[in-house]
Each structure stands twice: as C-alpha cells, then as structure tokens.
C-alpha cells in the first residue's frame, strides 16, 4: 500500500504509482462525473466532463496521473456548472430524442443531465444529418445518438481484439465510422457478443429487435444515480489486449 | 381563397396558440347562406415521414408522442402493427388482457377529461353564457361535487395506465409480440380498492349526460348530421375497443360492410387530399368521394354495436337506443352521452379484468417469423385509428400510413360547422353567438385539437368576414382572457 496521497475536495486520497486522478478517486469511492471513461479501457480524455481543478489548473482527471500532494477541486458549483454546459453541448450537437429512445432510463448522458440539474439544451439545436446503419443482422448503429466518446472504438481494439470503429472528420463533421470496405456494419467483423456492441453509453449501438423490455421503474437510472452506478460498476479486471 | 368568385369568405382564425388548433373559413353565397365550411387543420406533424428509416420496434414509442391525451391509443395501434411485423397474430391471454386493461384505462381518462374539463362548462352553463365563468373553474365553483367526480374518474384511468406502463403519460408497456411487465397482486388490489366508487361516478356521468340531452330539445338538432358510421365491433357485434372487425352503416342502420378484416382497409377506405388543409378526407370507397364520408368515435360505436357486454353500460345503451326510437341517434351533441356510456363500459370492464386470474399471469411474449407489413387498428377514444407500416429487409420503416380518428371526422366537422353557421350567422355581422356555437359543434367530436384550444375556455380566435370583392367588411377577435372586441 502506497503512502502517497492526493487531496480531492479536502479529502485525502491514497494512490498507487501509475494511477490517474480518476483511478484514485474511483478507488476511494469519490465520484468525478465522466462519460468517456471506463475502468479497464485506456483513458481518453475526450468528453471533458471529468475536468477538475488541480492546483489552479483545469485538467482531465481520467488522463492526468496522480502525483503526491496534488490539491484537487472536484465537486464545486463552478465546475459542475461547466460540466452542465458541456452536457448541454453534447445534447444539442446530436439528435437525442429521449422521449422515444429505447435507451431512456439506461442512458448515461441522460442520467448525467439529471445529475447536473440540466433542464434544457440552452444552445440552439444543430440537428445534424447523420446516417443510421441497420445493415447488420443483429446490431443497429444509430449515429444520431453518438457523442464521440470512443468507448466502442477502444472496446473493439483493446478488449475484442478487433478494429471495427473509428472517428473520422473534423469539427461538426466528426462522426463514427465503420472499418469495412463498404463502411457498413454488416461488412465488418463485429459480433453480437463483442464488448463494442454493448458498451455504448447512449444507445448509438444497439441490439436489433429488442428495446423497452425493462419496465419503467426498473431501468438502471430509475434505481441508481449515475454516480452510484459508476462507483458500483464491476471493473473490467481481466482486460484482454489484442496484442497480448 | 375560394375558387368560386361568387362566394364571400369568413375566416375564423386562432391567432396565438402554435399547435393543436384549427381555423374556420365560411364561404357565403350572395344570400349570405353558408355554402361550404372549411375547418382547416393548420398544424403539421409529419410523423409518417420522420419515422421512415427508424427501426420498427421503436415505432410504438415514437408515435405515442403524437398526443398527450390519448398516447396509449397510438402506442397500442402501433404495437398491434408491430406484432404483425414480427409474425405474431395472437398474444398470450395475459398480454391481451393487460393491453385491454391499459386501453380501458385510457378510454376512461380521456373521455372523463373531455366531458368534465372541456365540454361540461358549455353543457351546464349554456353555449352563450358568460365566458369568464364558462370553464372548468366555473364548474368547480357551481358544481363542486360533479367537478370532483370528474377529476377522480380521470385520475383512476390514469392510475390504471401508470400501473401497466410505468407512467401516467407516455409510459412503456408493449414489446413486439407482447408486454414488458406483469401485473402484481399488490398493483391489482390497489386498483380494486377504488373501483366501486369509480362505477358509481361513471353511472352518475351517464345519468347527467342522458338528462342534459333528453331534457334539452334544442340540443337535438344542433349540428345534427344523418351520416354513415364506421367502427370496430366484436365477433358477435358487441361494442369492442381493442380488437375486432370493421362495420360501416348507413344512416338508416343498414350495413355497408361488417366484420371486415381491417388489414384490408385500403380496399374500403380512400383518402382525399384537399389543398386547403393538412388533414386528409377519408371516405368509404363503395359510396364514393361525395357521399362516402362517415363519422367515427363514441356516437358511431354506440350506434353501430348490437350490444355491450357489461350490464350497466348495456342498460344505458338501451335507453340511448330508445331515445332514437330504435334507430340510430344522429344528434351531434349525443356524442357526449355516448362517450359517457363508454366511460361506464370502461369502468365495468376494468373491474372484470382485475378480477380475472389470468391478468396476473407472467407469460407475456410470443415470437414469430418476421413479415414486411403490419396493420394495427384500434378504437381510440375519438374513433377508429389505423396504423400501417411496411419495413425494409434491415428492419427499418419503409412506409407509414396513419388515419387518426379526428381525420375520419373531418368532413363531418365541416358539415356540422356549416349547419351551425347557417343558423347563427346574422347577415354580414360576426356575432359572439356564432363564435360560441361553432366551438361547441367542433368540440362535440372531441377532435384532438380541442385540448390545446379550449383547456380553460380561452380559445383565442379571429373571425374575418370578406365579401365577394375580397374586401374585409368585419373582423372580430377573442383574446385568450376571454374578452371579445371588434377590430375593424
């Protein structure tokens, strides 16, 4: 056990060499809001929700290694306000139709919005034109909901040992693409049991012919807040790397 | 504008609300008789278009957002179509009963809302009574017991919906080939605890409407139309709201068709598009475009059915039939009476279903072989509701066609408006009486726009009278606070 510590919101938190601030916080059951982070997959730092204040500097908790003596502000009104704004931008940049979405109640983005007290999109909707790919016999790729967190990209590479997804394009043209000759999911090597098929936090990748099977009141975020859910999550302790 | 240059034009135009309202244009001839009434639907929803390309299992959840008052109807009609898409023609007995229970809860709450919250002020205070008092608040002040019963009836219907779908509005209940949740004993008992009160309130509601209609002869001819009727009936001709065959009748009660499998609806119903309204005009193919219009909803169903399976509602129906001397009742305001008979039938049916041991079953989903086409039809509170979908090989929606209940009553509403306008239009003058009576005529049909336009008796309107030369000769507007002023 290491004697090294950091301080998060005035609480002293131990850490091991090599851990990020996020790793140390989760181990100490301190919740730092996040969407693109999943224990067991390499940190990505793209959603910026885990932005914390380290000795006066704004950084991503999921990518910055913990270092002895760091003083970190996390659960502050100012930071949560910024996180709410980021969440609003994620909503308006895609087409998130919660009322009819089968992921409603199980969606981490939606749960995050509730967690941060988001009541509207604030910004004008982008209404981007995005393509739905239903070519695969058992999976649907609905880009309307994609928040470009790259969890599927990393799960496919690092856990499934494949390379099915990537992000392509710049700025508002960024989108999730499929690594196949035709660009269609049907022509990729993704399979129903792959982690990449199940990891999407917002329902951009879904199992076909299923939906709305869990009654209202028993869905993930009917039972737990996003903080409870992420802290209680079973960590992917036996992550296989495709090069192992 | 009218194509006929000899006609004057009067427009009744809501000015502030952005959805759920209509606009009325009256086309006059030289003698100031209303030759044609056009009830424009100026809102455009576009559901049929934007569900194209979406996965088929999403559809019941998408389309229930069409409405906040009867979302369950759209949910169930679409779910019935989706059952067919996954090759399921019959659900498990428990799932069928759960869906029926959900549907009866929906019919009960929607009908109660319409009568007590929207229409009772007109019927209790009179069509031309003080606007500031002619609303639900006025009903609460003058008839507190009645208002409370109305609120509680609706609440019970919503509780039924909540128990089955998880929410009072826009819940989640159906999955392809079944339902997503069994009913627990505790949930059933919670509903049973209130059912006796609900049955009493429903009987009172029927008695009140029966009294209002039979004791006001002036109401009988108001907006009355000798029309054809379309509704679903059970296998033996009983009143059926969830699943059955289609029956259409002529005004004299003779049948145009009966026990028609609704999956062939395109052979018996066509839809005409007219340039001045977003709402289509369906008609019975056999009778043609001119004469094939028909009415749907409570009046159509109570006229069309041979009997009602529950005792109290059947007794009420028999009194209704006696009022019509054994023939059909064509009085437009009898819609309200028929609606309350259905409230009673819904309450009795909910009671029966809750006492049925199968309602607690846990066998909820049936699987089948996928098909390319699914058609679901249901008797929604406002009438026969058609949902028709075809899917691509990848499971996305290729095409959708919806004939919603209010659409079927489109021509009938125009005819009723024309009839009332002829009676109350006074020369070149737009009067408050005309305004009030037009609203009452439209509201009898409980069109799905009524909720948004008259929730508290504050429907904003503008009426404009334009002569044959195109000059505005009179204009009157009613603000949302109920004040009326001439603005020309």
């Amino acid at each position: 056990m290491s004697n090294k510590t950091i301080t998060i919101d005035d609480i002293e938190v131990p850490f091991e060499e090599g851990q990020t601030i996020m790793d140390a916080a989760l181990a100490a059951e301190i919740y730092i809001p996040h969407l693109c982070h999943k224990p067991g997959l390499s940190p990505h730092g793209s959603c910026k929700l885990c932005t914390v204040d380290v000795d006066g500097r704004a950084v991503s908790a999921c990518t910055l290694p913990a270092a002895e003596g760091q003083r970190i502000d996390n659960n502050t009104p100012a930071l949560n306000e910024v996180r709410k704004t980021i969440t609003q931008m994620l909503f308006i940049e895609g087409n998130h139709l919660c009322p009819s979405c089968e992921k409603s109640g199980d969606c981490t983005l939606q749960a995050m919005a509730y967690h941060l007290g988001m009541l509207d999109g604030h910004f004008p909707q982008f209404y981007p034109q995005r393509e739905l790919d239903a070519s695969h016999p058992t999976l649907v790729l609905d880009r309307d909901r994609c928040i470009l967190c790259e969890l599927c990209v990393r799960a496919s590479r690092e856990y499934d040992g494949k390379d099915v997804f990537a992000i392509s394009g710049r700025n508002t043209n960024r989108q999730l693409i499929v690594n196949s000759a035709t660009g269609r999911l049907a022509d990729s090597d993704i399979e129903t049991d792959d982690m990449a098929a199940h990891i999407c936090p917002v329902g951009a990748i879904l199992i076909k012919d299923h939906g709305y099977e869990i009654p209202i009141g028993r869905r993930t975020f009917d039972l737990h807040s996003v903080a409870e859910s992420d802290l209680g999550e079973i960590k992917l302790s036996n992550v296989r790397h495709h090069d192992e | 504008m009218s194509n006929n240059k000899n006609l004057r034009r009067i427009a009744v135009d809501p000015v502030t609300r952005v959805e759920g309202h209509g606009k009325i244009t009256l086309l006059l001839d030289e003698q100031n008789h209303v030759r044609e009434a056009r009830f424009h639907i100026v809102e455009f929803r576009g559901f049929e278009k934007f569900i194209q390309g979406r996965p088929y299992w999403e559809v019941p959840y998408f389309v229930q957002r069409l409405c906040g008052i009867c979302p369950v109807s759209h949910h169930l009609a679409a779910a019935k179509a989706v059952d067919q898409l996954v090759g399921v023609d019959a659900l498990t007995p428990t799932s069928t009963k759960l869906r029926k229970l959900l549907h009866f809860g929906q019919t009960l709450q929607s009908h109660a809302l319409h009568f007590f919250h929207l229409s009772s002020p007109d019927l209790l205070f009179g069509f031309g009574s003080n606007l500031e008092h002619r609303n639900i608040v006025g009903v609460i002040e003058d008839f507190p017991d009645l208002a409370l019963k109305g609120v509680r009836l609706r609440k019970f219907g919503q509780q039924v919906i909540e128990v089955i779908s998880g929410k009072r509005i826009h819940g989640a209940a159906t999955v392809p080939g079944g339902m997503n949740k069994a009913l627990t004993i505790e949930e059933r008992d919670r509903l049973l605890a209130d059912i006796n009160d609900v049955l009493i309130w429903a009987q009172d509601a029927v008695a009140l409407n029966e009294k209002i209609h039979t004791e006001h002869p002036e109401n009988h001819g108001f907006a009355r139309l000798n029309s054809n009727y379309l509704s679903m009936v059970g296998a033996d001709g009983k009143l059926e709201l969830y699943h059955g065959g289609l029956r259409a009748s002529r005004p004299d009660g003779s049948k145009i068709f009966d026990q028609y499998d609704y999956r062939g609806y395109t052979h018996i119903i066509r839809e005409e598009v007219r340039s001045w309204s977003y709402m289509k005009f369906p008609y019975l193919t056999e009778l043609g475009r001119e004469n094939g219009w028909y009415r749907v909803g409570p009046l159509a169903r109570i006229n069309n059915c041979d009997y009602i399976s529950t005792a109290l509602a059947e007794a009420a129906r028999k009194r209704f039939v006696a009022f019509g001397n054994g023939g059909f009742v064509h009085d437009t305001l009898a819609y309200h009476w028929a609606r309350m008979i259905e409230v009673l039938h819904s309450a009795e049916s909910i009671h029966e279903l809750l006492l049925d041991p199968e309602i607690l079953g846990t066998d909820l989903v049936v699987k089948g072989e996928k098909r390319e086409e699914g058609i679901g039809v249901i008797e929604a509170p406002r009438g026969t509701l058609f949902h028709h979908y075809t899917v691509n090989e990848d499971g996305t929606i290729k095409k959708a066609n919806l004939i919603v209940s209010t659409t079927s009553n489109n021509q009938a509403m125009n005819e009723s408006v024309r009839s009332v306008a002829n009676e109350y239009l006074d020369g070149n003058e737009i009067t408050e009486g005309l305004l009030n009576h037009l609203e009452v005529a439209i509201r009898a049909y409980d069109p799905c726009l009524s909720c948004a336009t008259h929730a508290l008796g504050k429907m904003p309107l503008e009426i404009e009278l334009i002569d044959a030369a195109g000059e505005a000769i009179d204009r009157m507007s009613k603000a949302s606070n109920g004040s009326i002023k001439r603005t020309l």
Side-chain angles (χ1 to χ4, degrees):
Chain A
M1 186 72 189
S2 164
N3 292 325
K4 294 177 178 174
T5 61
I6 54 177
T7 308
I8 303 177
D9 292 338
D10 297 327
I11 297 166
E12 210 170 328
V13 175
F15 71 93
E16 301 285 337
E17 199 61 45
Q19 278 189 317
T20 61
I21 293 171
M22 178 69 80
D23 294 334
L26 286 175
E29 299 191 350
I30 292 171
Y31 179 63
I32 301 175
H34 58 273
L35 283 171
C36 74
H37 182 71
K38 197 71 143 183
L41 295 178
S42 57
H44 194 246
S46 63
C47 78
K48 299 297 175 198
L49 275 172
C50 71
T51 299
V52 290
D53 197 295
V54 181
D55 299 322
R57 199 161 59 95
V59 295
S60 300
C62 71
T63 51
L64 189 75
E68 176 66 32
Q70 284 170 333
R71 294 197 65 82
I72 298 159
D73 288 335
N74 167 39
N75 189 19
T76 69
L79 279 169
N80 285 330
E81 190 60 29
V82 171
R83 289 168 181 152
K84 187 172 85 178
T85 304
I86 292 169
T87 308
Q88 286 169 322
M89 290 196 273
L90 287 171
F91 267 93
I92 61 105
E93 285 170 9
N95 297 310
H96 296 279
L97 307 174
C98 298
S100 60
C101 181
E102 62 201 77
K103 194 76 175 177
S104 199
D106 286 315
C107 171
T108 315
L109 179 67
Q110 185 190 50
M112 184 64 70
Y114 281 122
H115 176 76
L116 296 169
M118 177 184 140
L119 299 176
D120 62 12
H122 182 74
F123 303 103
Q125 289 283 344
F126 277 25
Y127 296 119
Q129 293 276 337
R130 292 182 182 170
E131 211 173 309
L132 182 130
D133 181 349
S135 61
H136 196 275
T138 60
L139 299 170
V140 177
L141 174 56
D142 185 353
R143 292 183 175 90
D144 274 347
R145 298 167 184 160
C146 180
I147 56 169
L148 307 170
C149 69
E150 297 200 28
L151 276 171
C152 59
V153 177
R154 284 172 283 153
S156 184
R157 284 178 193 160
E158 299 172 16
Y159 193 90
D160 301 328
K162 300 177 183 177
D163 193 14
V164 174
F165 296 108
I167 302 292
S168 168
R170 298 184 69 80
N171 296 323
T172 52
N173 294 322
R174 286 187 86 205
Q175 62 160 332
L176 186 64
I177 58 164
V178 175
N179 182 16
S180 69
T182 58
R184 299 189 327 150
L185 208 54
D187 300 319
S188 75
D189 54 354
I190 193 168
E191 290 167 284
T192 318
D193 292 338
D194 287 357
M195 181 192 273
H198 297 270
I199 201 166
C200 182
V202 291
I205 304 166
L206 286 168
I207 308 299
K208 245 183 183 175
D209 304 318
H210 292 271
Y212 315 96
E213 287 167 356
I214 302 168
I216 291 172
R218 297 184 210 159
R219 300 168 304 183
T220 309
F221 299 114
D222 292 333
L223 303 170
H224 305 286
S225 73
V226 67
E228 290 166 346
S229 175
D230 279 348
L231 289 174
E233 188 173 63
I234 299 161
K235 292 175 186 156
L236 306 171
S237 48
N238 297 315
V239 173
R240 288 178 292 122
H241 286 264
H242 61 92
D243 55 354
E244 277 178 5
Chain B
M1 285 296 285
S2 164
N3 293 326
N4 189 332
K5 286 179 181 164
N6 295 323
L7 298 186
R8 295 158 184 245
R9 192 172 72 111
I10 296 178
V12 181
D13 192 0
V15 288
T16 59
R17 304 282 176 107
V18 291
E19 55 174 51
H21 68 216
K23 165 191 169 182
I24 299 165
T25 306
L26 303 174
L27 303 175
L28 309 184
D29 61 18
E30 295 293 341
Q31 284 75 44
N32 288 333
H33 291 304
V34 181
R35 282 264 301 273
E36 190 183 343
R38 292 175 172 181
F39 181 44
H40 309 251
I41 302 302
V42 294
E43 59 182 323
F44 182 72
R45 305 298 300 276
F47 270 72
E48 289 164 334
K49 187 68 189 168
F50 65 66
I51 56 176
Q52 282 179 9
R54 299 301 309 170
Y56 72 85
W57 59 93
E58 250 185 28
V59 167
Y61 291 83
F62 234 116
V63 295
Q64 70 171 340
R65 295 282 167 169
L66 271 160
C67 182
I69 290 186
C70 67
V72 169
S73 308
H74 290 292
H75 189 63
L76 288 177
K80 285 177 78 176
V82 168
D83 292 341
Q84 287 170 32
L85 291 175
V86 296
V88 173
D89 290 317
L91 303 183
T92 66
T94 299
S95 276
T96 303
K97 285 172 184 175
L98 284 172
R99 285 198 187 175
K100 284 186 171 183
L101 184 57
L102 177 64
H103 192 42
F104 282 123
Q106 150 79 2
T107 307
L108 181 70
Q109 74 85 18
S110 173
H111 280 358
L113 170 83
H114 179 258
F115 176 67
F116 290 99
H117 296 69
L118 303 180
S119 289
S120 73
D122 298 327
L123 297 167
L124 295 171
F125 299 132
F127 309 162
S129 63
N130 178 13
L131 259 179
E132 286 175 21
H133 193 62
R134 183 160 41 100
N135 52 47
I136 182 67
V137 178
V139 176
I140 291 167
E141 281 169 9
D142 291 11
F143 305 95
D145 289 351
L146 177 75
L148 199 61
K149 278 181 204 166
V151 170
R152 285 185 172 159
L153 256 181
R154 170 153 195 255
K155 186 180 171 191
F156 180 77
Q158 289 182 302
Q159 283 169 336
V160 173
I161 295 170
E162 186 178 20
V163 157
I164 297 179
S165 74
K167 280 165 72 184
R168 292 183 179 197
I169 303 171
H170 300 140
T174 67
V175 291
M179 296 288 278
N180 70 5
K181 183 174 95 55
L183 188 71
T184 65
I185 293 174
E186 189 231 332
E187 287 166 338
R188 179 199 64 181
D189 291 350
R190 209 182 327 141
L191 293 176
L192 275 173
D194 291 329
I195 195 71
N196 287 329
D197 284 341
V198 168
L199 284 166
I200 291 167
W201 300 330
Q203 289 175 78
D204 291 350
V206 174
L208 174 65
N209 274 271
E210 191 173 322
K211 185 170 147 62
I212 288 172
H213 197 74
T214 55
E215 292 182 1
H216 288 84
E218 71 276 16
N219 285 1
H220 301 171
F222 182 82
R224 178 191 168 124
L225 303 172
N226 286 339
S227 69
N228 304 307
Y229 294 98
L230 175 75
S231 70
M232 195 185 258
V233 290
D236 50 357
K238 72 171 178 179
L239 176 69
E240 174 61 50
L241 302 179
Y242 179 70
H243 191 71
L246 294 176
R247 173 182 284 182
S249 306
R250 297 183 186 85
D252 64 2
S254 62
K255 294 183 181 58
I256 301 163
F257 51 77
D258 196 12
Q259 298 299 343
Y260 195 89
D261 183 342
Y262 59 65
R263 287 175 294 183
Y265 83 98
T266 53
H267 300 293
I268 51 164
I269 294 170
R270 288 205 184 131
E271 292 181 279
E272 184 191 354
V273 176
R274 296 183 194 169
S275 58
W276 47 269
S277 181
Y278 280 127
M279 191 151 76
K280 291 187 224 172
F281 288 81
Y283 59 93
L284 301 171
T285 313
E286 190 178 324
L287 302 186
R289 196 173 289 199
E290 284 298 309
N291 304 313
W293 61 274
Y294 54 90
R295 292 199 277 186
V296 298
L299 187 65
R301 291 189 290 250
I302 300 298
N303 274 333
N304 252 350
C305 74
D306 298 329
Y307 75 103
I308 300 178
S309 62
T310 55
L312 297 171
E314 172 61 3
R317 187 195 70 91
K318 282 184 172 153
R319 295 195 296 276
F320 186 88
V321 172
F323 172 78
N325 297 317
F328 281 0
V329 175
H330 295 295
D331 307 358
T332 295
L333 289 180
Y335 258 103
H336 297 293
W337 183 2
R339 201 169 278 126
M340 290 307 108
I341 295 173
E342 290 188 342
V343 163
L344 182 54
H345 174 59
S346 297
E348 289 180 282
S349 301
I350 288 168
H351 193 196
E352 274 180 9
L353 283 164
L354 290 174
L355 294 177
D356 185 334
E358 265 182 338
I359 200 78
L360 296 171
T362 53
D363 185 10
L364 297 178
V365 181
V366 179
K367 303 270 183 203
E369 285 294 311
K370 282 189 193 167
R371 298 175 196 158
E372 289 178 355
E373 186 171 38
I375 298 172
V377 174
I378 200 164
E379 280 295 332
R382 288 151 190 80
T384 320
L385 172 66
F386 298 78
H387 280 231
H388 180 184
Y389 306 100
T390 51
V391 288
N392 298 304
E393 217 170 283
D394 64 6
T396 56
I397 297 292
K398 185 195 281 179
K399 204 175 164 200
N401 188 40
L402 275 60
I403 305 179
V404 301
S405 321
T406 298
T407 308
S408 286
N409 279 334
N410 199 357
Q411 185 64 32
M413 286 191 289
N414 285 299
E415 294 295 329
S416 283
V417 163
R418 186 169 66 93
S419 145
V420 171
N422 261 330
E423 195 172 337
Y424 293 91
L425 185 69
D426 183 15
N428 287 340
E429 289 269 304
I430 299 162
T431 61
E432 192 186 328
L434 172 67
L435 236 155
N436 292 331
H437 286 80
L438 287 178
E439 282 182 20
V440 172
I442 293 168
R443 204 172 300 121
Y445 292 93
D446 190 13
C448 58
L449 39 112
S450 67
C451 55
T453 51
H454 205 80
L456 287 168
K458 293 172 181 174
M459 180 158 132
L461 286 173
E462 185 175 273
I463 305 184
E464 197 172 42
L465 182 62
I466 297 174
D467 68 12
E471 292 286 319
I473 55 172
D474 195 9
R475 190 185 296 130
M476 186 183 260
S477 51
K478 186 170 104 180
S480 56
N481 65 6
S483 66
I484 293 179
K485 61 177 177 184
R486 188 154 262 115
T487 54
L488 193 75

